[in-house]
Amino acid sequence: MESNAHDPSVVVGRMATGEKFIDNHGREDIIASYNPLCVDMETASIVHVCYINRIPFSTIRTISDTPKESGNEVFEKNCQCAGKKSVIVLRRYLDSILIIKP
């Protein structure tokens, strides 16, 4: 996908999501089994609703913290930058699939 060619910190790949909080042990098991780029619990509800209603979807997941660096301070520090990156990627993706451009 060329939508992320402008920024090497933006990656495309597999993510794992579920309906419960994942502790460090659970995260290690998931990574060993599926090798995802990230593990979260927030995306699962959106994926479930789309699946049940047969609505195609794609996910742009912005990571604002990691197991090593987390908490409100880290979230606040990274939130604005992460949001801007998501908008850039989404716009580039939409530009690449739209036949009629404004």
Side-chain angles (χ1 to χ4, degrees), residues 52-71:
I52 293 297
N53 291 291
R54 297 184 177 158
I55 298 170
F57 67 93
S58 186
T59 301
I60 296 175
R61 181 68 173 128
T62 305
I63 307 298
S64 59
D65 61 350
T66 67
K68 294 179 183 175
E69 188 178 55
S70 63

Side-chain angles (χ1 to χ4, degrees), residues 2 15 26 43 79 89:
E2 293 185 24
M15 61 180 288
T43 310
C79 188
V89 170

Side-chain angles (χ1 to χ4, degrees), residues 17-27 30 39-42 44 65-67 70:
T17 186
E19 73 279 357
K20 64 180 184 175
F21 181 78
I22 306 298
D23 62 13
N24 285 337
H25 179 70
R27 183 178 288 111
I30 292 168
V39 177
D40 83 344
M41 59 185 236
E42 296 84 4
D65 61 350
T66 67
S70 63

Side-chain angles (χ1 to χ4, degrees), residues 28-91:
E28 290 169 4
D29 289 345
I30 292 168
I31 291 170
S33 298
Y34 303 103
N35 194 30
L37 294 171
C38 70
V39 177
D40 83 344
M41 59 185 236
E42 296 84 4
T43 310
S45 60
I46 298 165
V47 171
H48 181 74
V49 169
C50 290
Y51 178 78
I52 293 297
N53 291 291
R54 297 184 177 158
I55 298 170
F57 67 93
S58 186
T59 301
I60 296 175
R61 181 68 173 128
T62 305
I63 307 298
S64 59
D65 61 350
T66 67
K68 294 179 183 175
E69 188 178 55
S70 63
N72 286 338
E73 290 177 19
V74 173
F75 175 80
E76 292 296 330
K77 180 180 90 174
N78 296 327
C79 188
Q80 189 173 14
C81 179
K84 286 179 181 179
K85 285 185 181 190
S86 293
V87 169
I88 290 168
V89 170
L90 177 59
R91 285 183 175 165

